[in-house]
Amino acid sequence: MTPRGRILIIDDDKLVRWSLVQRLSSEQYETVEATSCAEAQEALRKRVVDLILLDYKLPDGTGLDVLTELVRTKVEIPVIMMTAYSDVDKAVEAMKLGAYDYIPKPFDLDAVILEIEKALENRNLKREIKFIRTKQKETWDLSRIVGDSPKMLDLFETIKKIALSSTTTVLLLGESGTGKGMVARAIHYTSKRASKAFMNITCSAMPETLLETELMGHEAGAYTDAKTQKKGLFELADQGTVFLDEIGDISPTLQVKLLGLLEDKCFKRVGGTIDIDVDVRIITATNANLEEQVRQNKFREDLYYRLKIIPIELPPLRERDSDVLLLAKTFIEHFNAEFNRSVSGLNEEASRMCLQYTWPGNVRELRNVLERAILLGNTDQILPEDLPREIREGRPWDLRQGENGWVLPEDGLDFEELEKDLVRQSLERAQGNQTRAAQLLGMNRDQIRYRIEKFGLAKGNISHKADNSP
């Protein structure tokens, strides 16, 4: 049977070691023994262990000497101190050095086993968190943003400079689909905050009261359904980053509270009276004209200037057309892997069409077009017939509003395709929330559900991740 783990027992008392070995062996643990600091160091050089049971008093030193050496060599092994009642203060000192916990002698073997299981579970959890954060850093690293146009190269340099300061507030501006979400993550994972949490929320996707609770948390009894205390995103992201997308949609009340957080670095939970100090970088994003909202008294001027300490304008895809084919290559490789396809790329005519198109939906639109082409195509290249009509004809939907309402383009349009595209965009902006998507289109939920079924826009077919593209 495979051992549950290998445990190093460091104690000069033979009876203690024997008792522990017998019990640990019966629990399917492998054991290694040492009677001194020197033997412990030798054992650690020869064997990989999962946990250390460490006595405080040893013939050639103390358990603190062993712990200090582990810290110096950056060996991450959970340590449980075993100490007499008279040396409990030393055990507390050991915990400050990094020991997981301590057990006073004489100890109960059942309690020792329970403590070992908790320590190993804690170690496994830390490893999983470290692995996940490493993968997140790799996924959202600056190198994952695709582009070599002059505007994108300038953007990369700006992100690198911002990353040097871990506190500066950033406002991301740009059209929908330009990749504000991905830039926000790149800033976080390039900075010193990368090992801490990245929390994001779309402010337009939920009502004011719920948004405040999500951000600030609430105390038990703050309102009818608040049975227990809840921590908000600001508290959970302490020492990390909070990304607030569509910041222009927050209510005046929440604007005041956000301003207070930015100025005082603290906030109160909903229904709370105690200030909670937090250290977070706040990144906000919008495709709205905040200056115009300030002029119309819809957005606080003091908050606007507090948010735009460093404003970054993300260029639309039509202003970085040299990146279109580079982005297309990246997306094709991604969807080939996802759908188990082997599409080599766009053929010459399809490439020409993509370069001539103005991409009003920006990178998100390009990604969605290629996803559909690869999923539905039957050849080893993407051909013109695999592209939507507006791209083949070299124009987006040319709708504009005149004095008497929306003006129909002179050469007409495919109304059903337009309707489908608007429903798709509303679902993407609402991150799949049908109620919010219906509100964006002036519909009720039943009306948008009918169109979702009609056009086959089920949740799995909507690319919610698209805004994280470069």
Side-chain angles (χ1 to χ4, degrees):
M1 183 179 292
T2 304
R4 297 172 62 186
R6 182 181 294 139
I7 298 176
L8 172 59
I9 304 168
I10 307 173
D11 197 310
D12 62 339
D13 189 319
K14 185 176 180 179
L15 181 58
V16 169
R17 294 199 312 275
W18 181 87
S19 301
L20 288 169
V21 168
Q22 295 304 307
R23 182 56 190 274
L24 289 169
S25 298
S26 70
E27 297 287 342
Q28 306 304 322
Y29 288 105
E30 182 182 337
T31 58
V32 180
E33 298 179 56
T35 62
S36 64
C37 295
E39 284 187 15
Q41 298 302 332
E42 183 66 19
L44 288 170
R45 278 192 292 269
K46 291 181 177 180
R47 310 288 293 274
V48 175
V49 301
D50 299 298
L51 182 139
I52 298 174
L53 292 173
L54 176 61
D55 189 27
Y56 175 70
K57 292 183 177 180
L58 297 168
D60 55 349
T62 69
L64 295 182
D65 298 325
V66 177
L67 270 173
T68 302
E69 182 63 15
L70 290 174
V71 172
R72 187 188 68 79
T73 55
K74 298 181 180 180
V75 176
E76 296 182 2
I77 303 174
V79 176
I80 298 176
M81 293 292 296
M82 301 181 294
T83 183
Y85 281 108
S86 59
D87 291 322
V88 166
D89 59 328
K90 302 297 183 183
V92 173
E93 187 178 346
M95 291 180 66
K96 291 179 181 178
L97 277 173
Y100 173 76
D101 206 345
Y102 71 91
I103 301 174
K105 291 182 177 180
F107 46 70
D108 179 270
L109 287 172
D110 288 337
V112 173
I113 296 299
L114 181 61
E115 200 68 23
I116 288 172
E117 290 176 347
K118 287 166 54 181
L120 290 176
E121 184 178 350
N122 180 266
R123 180 209 58 177
N124 292 338
L125 182 59
K126 285 183 177 180
R127 286 182 176 178
E128 288 177 13
I129 292 172
K130 185 176 181 180
F131 174 78
I132 290 170
R133 287 184 173 162
T134 299
K135 294 299 292 183
Q136 286 177 329
K137 184 174 176 62
E138 292 173 355
T139 301
W140 301 112
D141 185 75
L142 183 58
S143 62
R144 293 302 183 105
I145 301 181
V146 178
D148 57 11
S149 61
K151 288 192 175 184
M152 291 304 292
L153 294 178
D154 288 343
L155 175 64
F156 297 154
E157 288 303 312
T158 301
I159 292 175
K160 290 176 184 176
K161 291 176 182 178
I162 292 172
L164 295 176
S165 166
S166 63
T167 58
T168 307
T169 304
V170 181
L171 174 61
L172 303 177
L173 303 167
E175 297 175 9
S176 179
T178 50
K180 296 184 286 292
M182 191 168 192
V183 170
R185 287 169 172 81
I187 292 171
H188 172 75
Y189 288 109
T190 307
S191 73
K192 294 179 180 178
R193 296 181 181 268
S195 63
K196 302 300 180 181
F198 177 90
M199 298 286 183
N200 70 297
I201 193 168
T202 302
C203 299
S204 61
M206 54 186 66
E208 176 189 350
T209 52
L210 182 57
L211 179 60
E212 182 179 356
T213 297
E214 287 296 308
L215 294 175
M216 308 291 185
H218 62 70
E219 297 291 352
Y223 51 87
T224 304
D225 294 327
K227 305 299 183 184
T228 60
Q229 183 192 83
K230 175 184 176 180
K231 292 183 178 181
L233 295 192
F234 289 127
E235 196 171 350
L236 293 171
D238 190 26
Q239 300 183 55
T241 301
V242 172
F243 173 47
L244 305 176
D245 199 5
E246 297 189 30
I247 188 65
D249 290 343
I250 66 172
S251 68
T253 301
L254 200 51
Q255 289 179 36
V256 173
K257 295 187 177 183
L258 180 57
L259 179 63
L261 170 63
L262 288 166
E263 292 182 342
D264 303 327
K265 307 297 182 185
C266 67
F267 67 95
K268 292 181 177 69
R269 297 192 190 106
V270 176
T273 58
I274 300 174
D275 285 333
I276 299 171
D277 297 322
V278 289
D279 169 24
V280 294
R281 184 210 286 273
I282 294 178
I283 301 176
T284 57
T286 182
N287 54 21
N289 188 331
L290 286 185
E291 289 187 359
E292 181 61 29
Q293 287 187 316
V294 169
R295 282 193 289 271
Q296 296 176 5
N297 294 321
K298 294 180 179 178
F299 200 86
R300 292 182 63 95
E301 184 176 24
D302 47 4
L303 176 59
Y304 170 61
Y305 287 113
R306 192 68 181 78
L307 293 175
K308 65 168 290 188
I309 293 177
I310 297 186
I312 300 178
E313 184 82 35
L314 273 67
L317 190 52
R318 63 182 173 274
E319 294 180 7
R320 44 180 292 216
D321 53 4
S322 63
D323 291 333
V324 170
L325 295 185
L326 183 60
L327 283 161
K329 180 177 181 292
T330 301
F331 290 141
I332 289 170
E333 290 173 352
H334 171 78
F335 291 123
N336 273 337
E338 185 170 334
F339 301 136
N340 194 27
R341 294 292 308 277
S342 55
V343 176
S344 61
L346 296 153
N347 79 350
E348 186 175 347
E349 182 63 14
S351 295
R352 182 190 64 78
M353 290 177 176
C354 286
L355 286 171
Q356 290 183 345
Y357 185 62
T358 57
W359 298 106
N362 294 297
V363 179
R364 178 191 291 128
E365 184 182 10
L366 174 60
R367 177 190 173 103
N368 291 345
V369 164
L370 294 173
E371 181 178 7
R372 182 176 65 178
I374 291 175
L375 185 61
L376 301 180
N378 297 314
T379 62
D380 61 356
Q381 279 192 315
I382 295 176
L383 307 176
E385 51 264 37
D386 297 321
L387 301 176
R389 182 170 69 87
E390 61 268 24
I391 297 178
R392 296 197 303 272
E393 296 179 359
R395 62 172 180 81
W397 302 116
D398 186 22
L399 279 177
R400 61 187 183 279
Q401 197 166 21
E403 293 181 2
N404 298 316
W406 293 100
V407 178
L408 181 71
E410 291 184 5
D411 55 350
L413 54 77
D414 186 327
F415 183 77
E416 191 166 277
E417 278 294 317
L418 174 60
E419 185 179 28
K420 177 180 178 180
D421 194 53
L422 291 174
V423 173
R424 176 185 57 77
Q425 288 186 48
S426 69
L427 286 167
E428 287 176 353
R429 182 170 296 189
Q431 295 186 323
N433 185 308
Q434 293 182 8
T435 301
R436 172 59 179 161
Q439 291 171 350
L440 291 172
L441 295 176
M443 298 178 179
N444 60 41
R445 195 171 181 185
D446 289 334
Q447 289 172 322
I448 201 167
R449 275 181 172 173
Y450 165 75
R451 286 162 176 81
I452 290 171
E453 293 177 4
K454 174 183 175 182
F455 298 127
L457 297 175
K459 186 175 181 181
N461 297 327
I462 301 298
S463 181
H464 305 313
K465 299 183 290 184
D467 199 34
N468 295 333
S469 303

